[in-house]
Each structure stands twice: as structure tokens, then as C-alpha cells.
Amino acid sequence: MITSNNKIIINNNCCDTYRILVIDFGSQYTQLLLRRIRELGVYSETYSFWNADISKISNFNPNGIILSGGPHSIVNNSYPNIPNALFTLGIPILGICLGMQIMAYKLGGTVKNIVLQREFGCSEIMLLSDNVLIKDIYDYIDDDTGYPIIDVWMSHGDVVTVVPDGFNIVGVNKNQQVAIMINEDKNLYGIQFHPEVTHTKKGKNILERFIKEICCCVSSWQINNITKDIINKISITVGKTDQVLLAFSGGVDSLVTAILLHHAIGRRFICIFIDNGLLLDNSISNRVYDFCIKHYNFNIIRISAEKRFLDALIGITNPEEKRKIIGRVFTEIFSEQISNLVSIKWLAQGTIYSDVIESGMSFSVFKNVIKSHHNVGGFTGIKNIHLLEPIKYLFKDEVRNIGLNLGLPYDIVYSYPFPGPGLAVRILGEVKKEYCEILRKADSIFFEELHRHDWYKKVSQAFAVFLPVYSVGIQGDQRKYKWVIVLRAVETTDFMTANWVQFSYDFLCIVSNRIVNEVEGVSRVVYDISSKPPATIEWE
Ligand code: XMP
């Protein structure tokens, strides 16, 4: 499909015959929910509630709909509205937390605020009767009552006090408040807890019940099918003669995009790799670049543009402004290159689904607080060139699995992520060449020691950060004021939450000594012991 701004959307609808739509009310767990559904082998997408009109939903043709949680309250009347017609489409609907409350309210039930009985954290639900959604799913039987109990995770200040006509109360919490309400005839289900978080131990089973038994979906969203399907779609979309230009950042996403193109259209594509001077010596971009030249002999135009980027960043301290400037200069350089390549009809990008969601282009009510990703939408509207985004609907873990499926080495596919704006978001405040050089050296030492001490593969992401503050140190007999380096290392599966890594003191001591002794300009090394949330993984 070609849209008005020349965008090509490759819908992955061969292996997604079965599909679930998540209507997002601004929940911080929406991405997690989508991933859980896809882990069950069923394709899922999310539309923000304000973007979810009936015709759009019908076009998506979901087998089931999930209404997400969210930060709003029905009670103060600022709740996100959805069309009533949603409930008469005949499509099974599962409302989660706020999603259940909205369902109850819209169908004539009552929702009230419960100041003194709010629940944030673990809770227990007593199952009062059987239903296909929860049949035989429980954690234990309560000795006193004989009722099955499930351990769940809740986060709510409102409850449904009166369920709409036709609904049964199937589960209650310890305060006898509605925790599960079901209208079996209409296939409408509401749960007050979050099945997508791991603290709800049986959450995945409940989601599976809804998706497979109630919505009758079959697992067809499998890496093998997805890979073949995307290759097939690219070759049909691009045709037999057109040339493609790939914006090649050198990350896993653009590497996988390049390999998919290679399988789909052979050598009819050129990669442009812009070295913005904000890369690391060991960063994935440089390794991927070498790998592609050596193993695939890809046609890669490498443009060294360090000065142009650093000049554009002079005096800029705001992180989002830095990101935007880098995105702009990137687009400018790219456009210049494209104008030199007259035969190019397509511009391919390795945009992935979390880039789209986090850039707030479509979905989240939290869009203002999430970092912008410069590869989303950056090149739209270039005359006579269509944008091709073959992995736009995939999450990172799916992209990695496709990479492995295509035979890429594990070490490259599982390299630490490196942000598009590179060192600019690891140098706090203004970016200077001198700072980049110090940071590169410090990072290389950290990287070497992680490998030497067998930590590299145990850690999800690790890097050094440059703090532009002078701290006193002693060299010889002299007090000298020099810069501070922060070491950051996290363990995470989805990069949405992360724990800091508990290295041994000996290891930290080795890295710190080496950096202070070997990197001119550094007097102090500190280790970041903040988890995400509340901190983020990057410092800016
Ligand atoms: P945060 O800092 O948001 O990072 O916890 C989560 C993951 O995203 C990466 N990251 C970025 N990647 N452009 C990118 O391409 C960015 O602006 C950006 N900011 C953060 C970060 O390295 C981590 O893996």
C-alpha cells in the first residue's frame, strides 16, 4: 500500500491471519502486552484509543480486542473515550484494569474511587465460579473457603461497584470487590489485574485462554514464517528492476533489513552509512560495517561527517534538542546523497515497532515524556522516493530471532544496543570532540575488561558516560582537576525495566584503575547503581 506521503507499509499479514488488537489507554505495559501475545504465536498491534475508530478497527479485522490499563480515572470524567459500537461488533473483548472499568461504565455499570482500599502491588483473587477464561487456572485452593485463588498484580484506585446487565462476577479480591466480570453470551471479559506482568504468575495462561480458546486464534506468528513472508513482500513490493537505498546505521535492525533485502532483491540495493563521529571504537556499527563488507560484499557508501555533526551541536545542551539536531543533519546528508542517485526508487529503513510506539507517532498518551528516535519518519516526503520499512511491525527480540534465522552470528545479533544519537547522549550537556575521545577510550577499557572477566554476555548493555564536571584528583604530588567517568551496566530482557549489574568490587576496581591511569583527563570513576524505573538506561 502506498500512502499519500509515499510511505510503504509492509503489513505482515501472511502469517498474521490471526490477530489481536490492543486499544491503548496510555498504559506503561502496552508493549509488554503486545510481546506476550506475540510470544503466544499470534500477531498483535496497538492503536491508541483516540485513533481507534470503528472503521479502522474493522479494517484491521481482529479476532479479539484487548482494552489496556491506563493512568486515567472514570470517576473524574477525564477518562479516554471509545465508541460504544465497539461492544456490538461481535468480537471478543478483554478489558484489563482501566479497560475493564471503561467497559463496565460504557455498558451501564458503576465505577467508584476507593481511596482507602487502593491496590498497588500483589494481591489475591478468589474465583467464585468457573468460566472458560479461568477454568482450572489457579495458584492454590483456599483452606477455609475451598475456593481457588490466583496471585495477581494490581495497580488501581477505582473499582467496578455495579457490573452491567448480563455480566457475572467471577472473581473478587480480599475486600470482595469485583476483580473478574464476564458476559459469556456477548464474549466480553473484564479483569481488574494485569495478566501481562510476570508477578501475575498465571497471567500468561489467562491471556492464552482468551486468545486461543475465546478468540480461536492459532499460533502462526513464527519466526520462520515471518522471515519468508517479509522477503516475499519486499520482492513483490520493490518489483524486478527498482533500486533501493538503505539507511544503514550499522545496528542490528539495519543489518537485518539489509540481509532481508539481500534475499529479496539480490544486489539491487545500496547502503549509506553515515559516520557521525559519535560512534564507539567497539560499537556495533563499526563491527557490522566490517562484517557486511567481508561476508556479503555489500555496496556501502561510508560518509565521514564528524565535523558537520559536531559543528551543529556546538552550544547545545538539551538532550532532546541534540537528538533532533542529529536527526536533522542525518536527514540532510541523506537527502544530498539521494539526489546524487537518480535511479533510486525506494528508501529502506530498519525502523522497528518500539521506535514507532516510543516516538509517540501513533499511540501513547505518554508521548511527551519518551525520547524521540531519529529514524522514525525522518525521511518521509522525499520526492519520488517511497519509504520501505520491512520490519516496522517487529519488536527487537523478533528482529534478533530473524537475524539468527538468516544465519547471522550470535555475537553480532546480540551486541549491546547503541543509541542512534551515539555518544551525544552519553556526554552530558554540550558535545565536544575532546570529550568524545576521552569517552571512547574509557568505554574501550570497560569493554575489554567485560570480555576478559566473562561479563560481556551476562550483561544486557554496558557503557561509559562522560560527566562534564571537574573533580579533584592527585597525580604525583599535585592536585589536578579532571573529568568524571560513569560506568553503567544493566540486566534486562526487554529494556523497558532494568536492574543494575552487581559486579564484584574487584572487577570495578580493575576497570576504575585502568581508566584513571590510562585515560588522560579523567580523575574519577563512579558506578551507577540506579535501576529502570525510576532511572533510564541512558543518562540522557
Ligand atoms: P532508555 O535510556 O530509554 O533506553 O532506558 C532504552 C534502550 O533504548 C536505547 N536508546 C536509544 N536508542 N535512539 C536510539 O536509537 C535514542 O535516542 C535512544 N535512547 C535510548 C538505549 O541505549 C537502551 O538500549
Side-chain angles (χ1 to χ4, degrees):
M1 177 177 76
I2 300 181
T3 63
S4 55
N5 59 3
N6 282 343
K7 273 192 144 195
I8 293 297
I9 312 294
I10 293 199
N11 280 321
N12 299 305
N13 51 13
C14 158
C15 29
D16 64 338
T17 334
Y18 299 96
R19 35 180 43 207
I20 297 290
L21 177 66
V22 174
I23 298 185
D24 179 31
F25 296 122
S27 168
Q28 55 182 318
Y29 300 119
T30 294
Q31 284 205 45
L32 196 58
L33 186 55
L34 292 174
R35 292 165 54 92
R36 293 276 178 268
I37 301 166
R38 290 180 184 207
E39 279 162 21
L40 292 167
V42 177
Y43 182 67
S44 61
E45 269 187 45
T46 179
Y47 294 169
S48 181
F49 70 92
W50 49 262
N51 204 13
D53 58 59
I54 293 297
S55 65
K56 210 170 161 212
I57 294 170
S58 304
N59 280 343
F60 183 71
N61 196 16
N63 299 78
I65 295 174
I66 299 184
L67 308 178
S68 83
H72 299 275
S73 167
I74 299 275
V75 178
N76 62 20
N77 265 337
S78 68
Y79 69 96
N81 208 349
I82 43 166
N84 276 9
L86 191 71
F87 299 104
T88 56
L89 291 175
I91 301 171
I93 301 181
L94 173 68
I96 296 175
C97 195
L98 176 67
M100 164 170 120
Q101 294 161 12
I102 289 178
M103 180 191 286
Y105 183 73
K106 301 268 322 175
L107 296 175
T110 311
V111 177
K112 289 223 164 98
N113 189 255
I114 38 153
V115 181
L116 297 176
Q117 292 176 332
R118 288 186 289 196
E119 289 179 292
F120 298 108
C122 294
S123 180
E124 292 169 350
I125 303 296
M126 185 186 285
L127 303 176
L128 304 176
S129 61
D130 249 352
N131 177 277
V132 64
L133 185 71
I134 39 118
K135 189 171 167 43
D136 297 330
I137 298 177
Y138 57 87
D139 288 292
Y140 63 95
I141 303 280
D142 184 80
D143 285 343
D144 296 334
T145 62
Y147 283 116
I149 305 286
I150 44 174
D151 294 324
V152 301
W153 195 84
M154 304 266 223
S155 176
H156 67 119
D158 292 351
V159 288
V160 173
T161 47
V162 179
V163 298
D165 284 348
F167 277 78
N168 288 324
I169 299 173
V170 173
V172 291
N173 68 4
K174 61 179 184 306
N175 299 316
Q176 298 302 308
Q177 288 152 342
V178 180
I180 305 176
M181 60 169 212
I182 293 178
N183 181 334
E184 215 162 22
D185 293 341
K186 298 210 162 135
N187 258 336
L188 301 176
Y189 303 78
I191 53 180
Q192 184 56 67
F193 54 91
H194 286 268
E196 68 276 32
V197 303
T198 45
H199 297 79
T200 300
K201 291 185 214 135
K202 295 284 190 292
K204 200 165 173 177
N205 306 59
I206 295 173
L207 280 176
E208 184 163 19
R209 271 294 165 75
F210 175 70
I211 289 163
K212 297 209 172 148
E213 300 207 12
I214 295 168
C215 303
C216 303
C217 293
V218 172
S219 299
S220 56
W221 182 251
Q222 313 285 0
I223 288 303
N224 234 331
N225 302 346
I226 304 169
T227 311
K228 279 192 214 141
D229 185 38
I230 296 179
I231 291 173
N232 194 24
K233 292 260 172 52
I234 296 175
S235 72
I236 293 170
T237 311
V238 172
K240 296 235 177 300
T241 53
D242 285 0
Q243 299 276 335
V244 177
L245 184 68
L246 171 64
F248 185 78
S249 72
V252 175
D253 306 337
S254 63
L255 171 63
V256 169
T257 307
I259 307 293
L260 289 165
L261 284 171
H262 165 75
H263 285 284
I265 57 168
R267 291 191 62 77
R268 272 185 293 131
F269 74 101
I270 301 171
C271 307
I272 292 197
F273 178 41
I274 299 173
D275 179 350
N276 56 14
L278 300 164
L279 303 176
L280 289 169
D281 295 340
N282 297 309
S283 67
I284 167 135
S285 342
N286 282 325
R287 286 192 288 140
V288 163
Y289 174 78
D290 294 343
F291 174 83
C292 287
I293 298 283
K294 190 167 161 206
H295 295 277
Y296 287 89
N297 194 23
F298 282 162
N299 187 357
I300 307 182
I301 303 173
R302 183 175 179 130
I303 295 160
S304 301
E306 180 188 41
K307 184 164 182 338
R308 196 155 158 186
F309 279 92
L310 290 186
D311 284 353
L313 289 168
I314 289 173
I316 308 297
T317 53
N318 179 295
E320 277 304 278
E321 219 179 313
K322 288 198 265 184
R323 280 188 171 82
K324 295 239 156 69
I325 288 173
I326 292 166
R328 175 176 53 73
V329 176
F330 208 85
T331 313
E332 281 168 14
I333 297 177
F334 227 94
S335 307
E336 290 159 15
Q337 292 299 318
I338 292 175
S339 56
N340 295 332
L341 298 165
V342 282
S343 59
I344 295 296
K345 291 265 170 39
W346 300 90
L347 176 59
Q349 279 197 103
T351 311
I352 63 170
Y353 204 32
S354 19
D355 295 340
V356 176
I357 296 175
E358 288 177 13
S359 286
M361 288 191 67
S362 41
F363 312 110
S364 178
V365 293
F366 293 127
K367 59 187 175 184
N368 295 330
V369 298
I370 294 170
K371 298 163 186 171
S372 56
H373 287 256
H374 72 249
N375 57 333
V376 178
F379 306 122
T380 52
I382 297 174
K383 257 199 168 163
N384 301 324
I385 295 204
H386 305 306
L387 190 60
L388 185 70
E389 297 182 303
I391 54 170
K392 184 173 180 172
Y393 289 100
L394 304 183
F395 284 114
K396 191 78 171 189
D397 52 336
E398 294 169 329
V399 174
R400 286 191 159 134
N401 283 333
I402 288 181
L404 293 178
N405 196 246
L406 290 165
L408 294 173
Y410 184 92
D411 273 4
I412 286 205
V413 168
Y414 277 90
S415 296
Y416 293 163
F418 186 67
L423 297 186
V425 289
R426 293 184 180 169
I427 291 168
L428 269 60
E430 188 178 0
V431 182
K432 294 184 180 170
K433 190 169 175 173
E434 171 206 345
Y435 299 167
C436 292
E437 280 162 6
I438 290 175
L439 184 52
R440 258 185 218 114
K441 286 183 193 149
D443 196 277
S444 286
I445 292 172
F446 192 20
F447 182 88
E448 271 171 40
E449 294 302 332
L450 285 162
H451 275 287
R452 205 192 315 276
H453 291 85
D454 244 3
W455 271 108
Y456 190 86
K457 281 190 179 163
K458 294 182 211 152
V459 169
S460 314
Q461 191 173 5
F463 52 88
V465 176
F466 180 91
L467 295 194
V469 288
Y470 269 138
S471 163
V472 70
I474 298 175
Q475 273 187 347
D477 287 335
Q478 287 191 331
R479 286 163 73 83
K480 288 215 166 142
Y481 287 88
K482 295 186 175 181
W483 307 115
V484 178
I485 288 289
V486 180
L487 303 178
R488 177 75 163 140
V490 293
E491 284 166 328
T492 170
T493 48
D494 53 17
F495 295 87
M496 306 281 292
T497 60
N499 291 325
W500 57 277
V501 175
Q502 304 209 6
F503 290 128
S504 69
Y505 289 150
D506 286 347
F507 175 76
L508 289 171
C509 184
I510 289 166
V511 180
S512 161
N513 279 344
R514 275 197 65 193
I515 292 176
V516 173
N517 287 320
E518 294 175 33
V519 185
E520 182 56 37
V522 176
S523 62
R524 193 173 293 264
V525 174
V526 297
Y527 185 49
D528 180 352
I529 54 166
S530 333
S531 290
K532 174 183 180 176
T536 51
I537 295 172
E538 300 290 344
W539 268 52
E540 278 198 339

